[in-house]
Amino acid sequence: MCQFAVPLLLPACNGSECTFMLWALRDIVKKWKPHSLEDKNGFREDNVVNIKMPIFSFVRLENCSLSKSAILNQILTPSQQYHNFFIHRGTWKVGMLKKTLSSGLVEMSWYLPVGQESSDIFPEPITVTNLHGNISSCWTQFSFLTQISSAVFIFADSISEMEFTQLSKLEDANTKYYLVSQNLEKNDSMLDSLNSALKMDGRHLIEKKNKNDADLVRRLQKQMIELIEKPTKQVTLEKTAETACELGIRVDELSTECQSAKLRAMKIIKEIWDVAGYKEETMKLQGDLCKKLARTRTEICRMKGQSNENSQQYREKLENTRTELIRQQYEHTPSAGIVAFIESISQKNSSERCYFLKWMKIFLDSIARTNISKLQNQYKAKGDSDMKQLDLIMSKSSLGVEHFIRELGQYYDAECYLLKNNEIRKEERKFNKLPEIAAELLLDGLPLELIDGDASSIPLEWITSVLSELDKRTGGQCRIRVITVLGVQSTGKSTLLNTMFGLQFPVASGRCTRGAFMTLIKVEENFQQELGCSFILVLDTEGLRAPEMNSLEGSNQHDNELATLVVGLSDFTIINFSMEHAAEMQDILQIVVHAFLRMETIGKKPKSYFLHQNVADVAASEKCLRDRKKVMDDLDKMTLTAAKMQKKRGVSSFSDVLDADHEHHSWYIPGLWHGVPPMSSVSTGYSEKVYEFKKYLLHVMKTSKRQAQSWSEFSEWIRSLWAAVQYENFIFSFRNSLVADAYDHLHIKYNELKWNFSKVMFKWMQETENIIRNQTNLQKEPNTDLTNNMCEILQREENIMREDLEKYFGGGSENANSHLIERYRAEFFNSLSSLTKQLEDDVRQRLNECLQIQKGKAVIQTNQNTFMEVIEKKAASKYQTLKDCEDLLNHDEEFEKIWNETFIEIKLISLHKRNIGQEILHQLKMDMKHSIGPVTKRLNNIHNLKDYERRCFAAQLQHFDISWYNTASQTNSTKYPDSRLVQMNKHVNALLLKYKLHVIAKMNTKEDYHDTYCQELLNMVNKELQESAIEKFHTSPHFELDLKLHILGRAAPMFQRMHENFIQENDPKISLEKLKPQYLATFKNIFLEKDQCKKRTEDFCHSCLKPAIVEFIYKNLGREIVDDILLSEHSKQYSSRMFFQFNLLKNLLEEKNFDQYMMYINEYELFVKSKLKAHILQKYGKPGGLQSLHEKIIQKITHVVNNALRDPTVQESSNVSSFLKMFCKLLQKELVIPRNAMNVILFQNNDKAQQFSEYFQSSFSKQVDEILIEMNSLDLDYVLSMVTLNPQDQLFKRVFGCGKLCPFCNVPCEAGGHDHKEHFASVHRPQGLAGYKNLGTNVLCNSICSTEVVGKGCFRNSNTQWATVPYKEYIQFYPDWIIQPDPGINASDYWKFILKEFNDQFAEEYDAIPTQIPKNWGKITKEQAMKSLRDSFNH
């Protein structure tokens, strides 16, 4: 293509022999239009070694001043298009260096006419050779040229005796000789003798008469034209190889390996007469069978021909058709040609394998050129009506190496399918070694077909297996960068790639190749780290909008699919235009915009570059500013249109899809040719600009933060993108395993950060509550400092979490696939804001509750303190009166007397016992005061809630909107839930249990009932009534009343017990009576003047510190349990909702218990909680199961207590009272020490602080051991009921998610984040599992919504106003649900297996007739169900 002369005879470095470069020349294909061609619009095309044409050789004698190469360059080019075909000493500024390598080299070039007499130098094609060095020293080469040439032009200034002797021996009568000279020293006798020997005359002596070469060149051209026009010797280079052999010249392709490979190739090629017929007979797996299989696979995904047939039955029929087609493929025995091809590429000798493939390409290209030439002649003779048929014939007439390899891929694909289908055994496999061979071919540089352009399909098993083998052969650690070029036909895509990377993609070979091919370029080891990859994989695609393909069925769709797929696979996409204002730009931009829009949605954002070719002006970039703006305007319009078509919201311009840098992303490349082909040369401007672009591209690779793909990742992208292309659904459905894995890791990271945030707030809340409970003077509302402190911590922790999320989204080692989750950025940051708001609300509510409760306790405490002050004064007075009395009164009687007197004097008022039930009933009436008349009347007639304490909820007709109920009953909908009354009862019973657990949690705080508890319950119920789970029942106000009556009726007695228990513990009289024994003991010791220090220390540790530490343990144990589980071997299953779902379903399948499945399907929340509870009980239920956690918590508080004890302010206290007050102040964040118990310790306590401190250390140590023993002996259920932070609830929040269910099959949402806007599930299930049935036949429904959304099925319900709506349009009614089409045919095998196994039980449970199980479902095994589950959850 560069038009430089090429070596014909290549001398060895030592000069002892030379090589005829026949094999090296076989790649060169030329086009020309001879003047002798009858069809003036036709042309010829062939390999140069096969073209019969005259050869003109140019040689020189030793004494020669003319430059043959310079003269030859002028002979072959018009004066205005001078080109250096032959390099000569005037070409490079190297001075007069001595030739060391080129002496003896024979170069050759061609002249090929364009068919125009005015511009063509020669009317017919010719070959020109140029011998470097004089003929004496290169006699073998010269002898060879004399035998093959039509004429030999000998350049000389003089002829030596030796040269004369040598020339006189030449005998070939068919070769003409010419002597070319500038100043020939004439020796008449010698010339006469030479003329006689060489049959020369005066015309054969051509002299340069002046300094200008032009005249000499014209005379030489004239002489050559005369020779061409006369019958002259014409030979092919292939034929001249025989002459070379006779002269002892080595021919490169006569090596044993090359010839053996040629014989192998010819064995195949000799059978090819009619290409279309050969393909039909030999490549039976391609053609109509392959296309039918591809269409069937696509139809399984798109289900466009479904009509009114049941979706599952239609899909089963398609699956059976697919299986039968694959069986037909596999039953075909490989033809002799295919067997020979496999044997040849299986050669261990890689050189022979490469030779074979090259021979095949050469032979097949030759056949293709012949066929295409015939077809093109037929095009001219046919009218437009026959064009479509000719296009089809042209497509069938295409045959290349890729077709043979495609056949192997089809065999391998079919074998893999039948193996998975258990129709063949592993030991029966015949093609399992083929991927290894294909991987070797790729590494050898052979392009491998990725997309079968004829059938518009990808043989997935074949391609992924080849890539897997590549991964093995490259060490498993290699990473690749993928570059793709897209453009309409004939825009120079392959030429661009060949120029950039030195590849050999066919350029205008004459074959109608379709699809996409991938070629590997190995990166040098010293450059791999810098570039970030080991290989560059180049995807070369067919020309979009090819004219000869436009008439073929599905051409436009094929182009769109091709563009979408290769853009999705690429890291860098080059969009190629043929000129500045190309008309085809609109076509390609429309395709590209759709492709990029789809990729933006799934997080794939390849860098794109617009290459405008054939732009020669040096100021093109500036001149095209207006055109670039127009292009961007067009892109914006197309993007907006595409976004509307694909229902993509929030996209209005191309910049929303791709961050395009106009300065660096638009490149202007000069035209390729300098002049008119075939004799024009490649423009240096083209090469330089392409090289500049290549350098920029490599720079971008070096600086890219995005990690290159691994082979396995690339393979997964192929699999998932192809599935998405087949489903025709990207915007709402695309999630491949890489995206799913990246999303799952994002969810795990978010959960980790969320838990850290929550723990900080829990800890602060506990410390703040402790401070409030340790205070005596309280305000009604949290003070400003407390609120500010809360806000500061919330802001600080939110910022920390935000920064960590930003860092995670930014990529790096922790998240190499950050680009895949970019679309979820806003969602997760919104979740963070929502989390902060929720935590703030929870903390504020807890603070207010704590303040209100503590305020009530403060009144009680004041009364008790007053009582204790009086008791203390009376006891002190009595001690002074009686201390010297020998006849002491009975101490118990004396103390009793003082105690009773004080009670009379103080007049303690017992706590008022409230009627909680009536208060709750009043709140309920206030909550529903705006209800309709009948409801208000019913409510006013209710005077207490006792009737609802044990009453079971029973759904009634009045609970429904009657008009809706009656309409629903009359509808002919074939998919509607079973008995609404039964469903409502189940749902309400689940709610009753949920709220009961909520009330129990309140009771376990052991605080007094507060009105906010009832209001909180009412708020929760009001929110529940707005959820879709209840809205689907279309309830009436009567339902709301009955629901609240049942919930509050059960809560009221529980809150009443809570209130009474609080009174029992905190009533002044009762509380003081409990402390009476301790005061009595102290009273006695005072009178007996015993040393009480040790005893009081022990009492302090037992009565004050022990309950405070036990409470501390309960406050921290829940958090420690959660942390322990999250750090255990089970951590992964609780790390995200998807992991948890996978483990749940896996365990269910292993247990295979129908009742468990029923609970999972219909009472998912209770099921999850029961499993979490079971796991906690299993992990910690054994004796001492919590010991390590108890020790950990006690160790923390022991450390805090000891630090407080050693504090100087404590140690320097003057008495025990100040000692304990300061000690408790230091512990006020961690411990709430009972004031009443401490008052007993301080009662008449005159002990020294130092002594108290010394006793404290030993007493505290013993008390800690005692606490540990007691805690370890407690029943786990009791411990869990006492913990402040319920670990079950915390784990539940991590794994349960939003609780939303699929509107069709009730599968739970798996979306991450705290406040996601879209719900999705990995696996959907047959709707009959949720009770859906055909009301006409009462048969359970077996349809799956993830199948229905791509089929032609319809649904109707109250949301659609009972109008029939295609499943494909479900998004109109459920915009927050994304129901993804099955990622594979076997995606729902798990639930198909469950319905098959428990069909009768489900039917009995739902009072229905068992569904009809499709035959394919009946073949699903437990192992296949498990595999389906693993594939769906990417495990």
Side-chain angles (χ1 to χ4, degrees), residues 1001-1033:
K1002 292 290 185 185
M1003 291 178 67
N1004 288 336
T1005 63
K1006 301 194 181 303
E1007 301 293 353
D1008 194 7
Y1009 167 78
H1010 196 273
D1011 290 341
T1012 56
Y1013 294 172
C1014 176
Q1015 191 57 54
E1016 186 179 355
L1017 268 180
L1018 287 169
N1019 291 341
M1020 291 169 67
V1021 175
N1022 289 333
K1023 185 178 179 181
E1024 193 80 47
L1025 289 168
Q1026 297 173 10
E1027 295 291 334
S1028 58
I1030 285 184
E1031 280 188 337
K1032 71 179 182 181
F1033 291 115

Side-chain angles (χ1 to χ4, degrees), residues 559-612:
D559 284 353
N560 283 302
E561 290 175 356
L562 175 71
T564 300
L565 188 68
V566 296
V567 166
L569 294 176
S570 303
D571 297 305
F572 305 92
T573 301
I574 302 170
I575 302 159
N576 204 43
F577 302 117
S578 62
M579 59 187 75
E580 280 180 284
H581 307 289
E584 76 272 4
M585 187 180 288
Q586 297 294 322
D587 282 340
I588 186 171
L589 287 185
Q590 191 170 4
I591 297 172
V592 169
V593 164
H594 276 273
F596 276 119
L597 184 63
R598 290 165 172 171
M599 293 309 108
E600 184 272 340
T601 304
I602 63 174
K604 257 280 191 177
K605 287 189 176 181
K607 292 186 179 296
S608 64
Y609 300 93
F610 296 91
L611 257 66
H612 304 261

Side-chain angles (χ1 to χ4, degrees), residues 1192-1410:
K1192 183 178 179 181
I1193 297 169
I1194 288 177
Q1195 188 177 8
K1196 287 181 183 177
I1197 193 59
T1198 301
H1199 180 71
V1200 173
V1201 169
N1202 287 332
N1203 283 345
L1205 185 63
R1206 289 191 291 267
D1207 191 273
T1209 58
V1210 175
Q1211 290 296 321
E1212 294 169 5
S1213 300
S1214 58
N1215 53 51
V1216 173
S1217 177
S1218 60
F1219 176 94
L1220 289 179
K1221 286 179 181 177
M1222 186 54 65
F1223 178 74
C1224 292
K1225 184 178 180 181
L1226 292 174
L1227 295 174
Q1228 66 175 341
K1229 283 187 176 182
E1230 289 79 18
L1231 301 177
V1232 179
I1233 297 174
R1235 291 185 175 279
N1236 291 341
M1238 198 165 82
N1239 286 338
V1240 176
I1241 305 302
L1242 295 174
F1243 180 61
Q1244 291 291 306
N1245 194 329
N1246 297 315
D1247 298 329
K1248 293 180 180 179
Q1250 183 64 33
Q1251 187 180 14
F1252 189 89
S1253 175
E1254 291 172 0
Y1255 285 133
F1256 176 85
Q1257 293 181 19
S1258 60
S1259 297
F1260 178 65
S1261 179
K1262 291 176 183 177
Q1263 193 62 65
V1264 166
D1265 293 338
E1266 182 183 324
I1267 292 171
L1268 190 57
I1269 292 170
E1270 289 181 8
M1271 290 298 298
N1272 290 335
S1273 66
L1274 293 174
D1275 179 69
L1276 181 58
D1277 281 320
Y1278 173 77
V1279 173
L1280 292 176
S1281 70
M1282 296 300 294
V1283 294
T1284 304
L1285 189 72
N1286 192 322
Q1288 178 184 337
D1289 290 344
Q1290 294 305 312
L1291 291 173
F1292 179 79
K1293 290 176 184 177
R1294 290 177 70 91
V1295 300
F1296 183 70
C1298 63
K1300 300 294 183 183
L1301 303 177
C1302 171
F1304 301 113
C1305 69
N1306 282 2
V1307 69
C1309 169
E1310 297 165 14
H1314 185 74
D1315 188 29
H1316 54 263
K1317 304 301 181 187
E1318 296 174 340
H1319 310 294
F1320 68 84
S1322 299
V1323 185
H1324 289 262
R1325 54 199 183 207
Q1327 296 176 27
L1329 294 173
Y1332 284 71
K1333 58 188 178 182
N1334 185 309
L1335 292 181
T1337 62
N1338 204 38
V1339 174
L1340 278 181
C1341 178
N1342 65 9
S1343 63
I1344 304 171
C1345 42
S1346 50
T1347 302
E1348 297 287 359
V1349 293
V1350 295
K1352 292 192 174 180
C1354 298
F1355 71 97
R1356 57 176 173 173
N1357 54 31
S1358 57
N1359 297 114
T1360 70
Q1361 300 297 316
W1362 303 109
T1364 300
V1365 175
Y1367 271 98
K1368 286 183 176 180
E1369 298 176 15
Y1370 78 92
I1371 203 78
Q1372 296 178 16
F1373 300 93
Y1374 308 106
D1376 51 351
W1377 262 96
I1378 296 178
I1379 300 176
Q1380 305 164 8
D1382 294 328
I1385 303 302
N1386 304 319
S1388 298
D1389 277 4
Y1390 179 92
W1391 287 110
K1392 293 174 186 176
F1393 176 78
I1394 298 306
L1395 182 56
K1396 177 199 77 168
E1397 291 293 297
F1398 298 116
N1399 190 12
D1400 293 336
Q1401 291 96 315
F1402 278 115
E1404 183 180 352
E1405 184 71 26
Y1406 295 124
D1407 191 24
I1409 297 172

Side-chain angles (χ1 to χ4, degrees), residues 541-796:
T541 62
E542 67 180 73
L544 305 177
R545 300 294 188 258
E548 66 269 22
M549 300 301 174
N550 283 343
S551 59
L552 299 184
E553 185 180 352
S555 175
N556 289 345
Q557 180 176 321
H558 168 74
D559 284 353
N560 283 302
E561 290 175 356
L562 175 71
T564 300
L565 188 68
V566 296
V567 166
L569 294 176
S570 303
D571 297 305
F572 305 92
T573 301
I574 302 170
I575 302 159
N576 204 43
F577 302 117
S578 62
M579 59 187 75
E580 280 180 284
H581 307 289
E584 76 272 4
M585 187 180 288
Q586 297 294 322
D587 282 340
I588 186 171
L589 287 185
Q590 191 170 4
I591 297 172
V592 169
V593 164
H594 276 273
F596 276 119
L597 184 63
R598 290 165 172 171
M599 293 309 108
E600 184 272 340
T601 304
I602 63 174
K604 257 280 191 177
K605 287 189 176 181
K607 292 186 179 296
S608 64
Y609 300 93
F610 296 91
L611 257 66
H612 304 261
Q613 297 213 35
N614 298 337
V615 184
D617 194 337
V618 293
S621 181
E622 285 70 22
K623 287 185 176 181
C624 290
L625 279 174
R626 188 177 67 84
D627 293 325
R628 271 190 290 181
K629 187 178 184 309
K630 185 178 184 306
V631 169
M632 293 312 298
D633 288 343
D634 289 343
L635 281 170
D636 287 344
K637 291 175 184 177
M638 291 175 187
T639 303
L640 187 60
T641 303
K644 289 179 180 178
M645 288 174 62
Q646 300 188 22
K647 300 175 184 177
K648 175 70 175 173
R649 292 166 289 187
V651 174
S652 58
S653 65
F654 188 66
S655 59
D656 293 331
V657 177
L658 193 73
D659 183 17
D661 180 346
H662 304 317
E663 182 179 350
H664 295 106
H665 288 228
S666 292
W667 289 75
Y668 295 89
I669 310 293
L672 172 64
W673 299 111
H674 181 67
V676 180
M679 291 308 294
S680 57
S681 60
V682 172
S683 162
T684 55
Y686 176 87
S687 302
E688 289 169 357
K689 202 67 180 179
V690 170
Y691 176 65
E692 185 182 336
F693 173 65
K694 177 184 176 180
K695 281 202 305 183
Y696 176 74
L697 203 59
L698 293 175
H699 170 73
V700 174
M701 288 186 192
K702 292 178 189 178
T703 56
S704 175
K705 295 181 180 178
R706 186 177 299 178
Q707 190 178 35
Q709 303 178 72
S710 66
W711 288 117
S712 59
E713 288 172 342
F714 182 64
S715 179
E716 176 55 32
W717 274 113
I718 292 175
R719 186 183 296 278
S720 52
L721 279 166
W722 179 239
V725 164
Q726 287 185 299
Y727 276 110
E728 293 185 313
N729 193 340
F730 277 78
I731 298 304
F732 296 113
S733 72
F734 187 92
R735 284 183 86 245
N736 71 358
S737 63
L738 296 176
V739 177
D741 187 56
Y743 179 84
D744 216 31
H745 279 85
L746 169 62
H747 188 199
I748 292 169
K749 183 66 176 180
Y750 179 82
N751 272 346
E752 175 191 324
L753 298 174
K754 174 186 171 184
W755 176 236
N756 291 337
F757 190 175
S758 300
K759 281 196 297 185
V760 171
M761 295 314 299
F762 290 153
K763 185 173 184 291
W764 183 86
M765 184 66 240
Q766 286 180 5
E767 291 176 349
T768 307
E769 281 183 335
N770 289 343
I771 292 171
I772 292 172
R773 291 171 62 193
N774 281 317
Q775 289 179 358
T776 53
N777 298 321
L778 292 168
Q779 301 176 7
K780 290 185 179 180
E781 302 293 337
N783 62 41
T784 305
D785 291 341
L786 205 59
T787 304
N788 289 342
N789 189 17
M790 176 192 70
C791 293
E792 286 176 9
I793 294 174
L794 276 168
Q795 188 63 52
R796 183 192 70 200

Side-chain angles (χ1 to χ4, degrees), residues 1026-1073:
Q1026 297 173 10
E1027 295 291 334
S1028 58
I1030 285 184
E1031 280 188 337
K1032 71 179 182 181
F1033 291 115
H1034 293 261
T1035 58
S1036 68
H1038 286 285
F1039 171 79
E1040 179 183 353
L1041 174 59
D1042 281 337
L1043 178 63
K1044 289 179 178 178
L1045 284 171
H1046 280 78
I1047 290 172
L1048 296 179
R1050 297 183 182 199
M1054 298 171 73
F1055 283 140
Q1056 186 70 47
R1057 286 196 299 275
M1058 177 184 184
H1059 172 63
E1060 291 172 359
N1061 290 339
F1062 180 82
I1063 289 176
Q1064 190 69 23
E1065 291 294 325
N1066 295 278
D1067 185 84
K1069 288 184 178 181
I1070 297 173
S1071 297
L1072 289 171
E1073 285 295 336

Side-chain angles (χ1 to χ4, degrees), residues 303-321:
M303 299 177 66
K304 290 185 175 180
Q306 181 182 349
S307 187
N308 296 324
E309 198 170 351
N310 175 275
S311 295
Q312 295 304 318
Q313 291 175 351
Y314 181 66
R315 172 165 278 192
E316 182 179 21
K317 185 171 72 175
L318 290 172
E319 289 175 5
N320 291 337
T321 302

